[in-house]
Amino acid sequence: MTADDSFDRLEDDDYPAYTMGRAAAMLNTTQGFLRAIGEARLITPLRSPGGHRRYSRYQLRIAARARELVDQGTPIEAACRIVILEDQLEEAQRINAEHHRTAHTAD
């Protein structure tokens, strides 16, 4: 992989570009919070060849939403479940809209 290839991947929402320390700083939270939402299976960071956790932009958005709920007083386990359900709903709505568009273009 060339440097240009690596740079292009930074635009990919699923590319694990951020270390745990950087992710925690970006979210203004602790590394312990990131570990806790990982243990709750909200996000599963990828691992670098050295075994360090790496986070994608998509995962950071998910973590930020969980952090928002926790800051509002929601227990972390409940916050993770809410975020999972919100994400599932958004995906179902996207799929439904795509089916709706497909059905109307077939007419």
Side-chain angles (χ1 to χ4, degrees), residues 83-94:
V83 173
I84 289 167
L85 291 170
E86 288 174 342
D87 196 51
Q88 290 172 343
L89 176 60
E90 184 179 316
E91 178 66 8
Q93 289 172 330
R94 186 195 63 76

Side-chain angles (χ1 to χ4, degrees), residues 12-31:
D12 181 354
D13 263 2
D14 295 319
Y15 181 66
Y18 304 98
T19 63
M20 177 180 265
R22 179 70 180 130
M26 290 171 68
L27 297 172
N28 196 29
T29 191
T30 65
Q31 293 181 14

Side-chain angles (χ1 to χ4, degrees), residues 51-67:
H52 301 282
R53 291 175 179 90
R54 305 285 293 195
Y55 297 88
S56 69
R57 289 189 315 187
Y58 172 75
Q59 289 173 323
L60 293 183
R61 284 195 303 273
I62 295 292
R65 176 65 179 132
R67 168 76 196 273

Side-chain angles (χ1 to χ4, degrees), residues 27-29 33 64-75 79:
L27 297 172
N28 196 29
T29 191
F33 176 79
R65 176 65 179 132
R67 168 76 196 273
E68 181 181 309
L69 290 168
V70 169
D71 287 350
Q72 293 171 0
T74 306

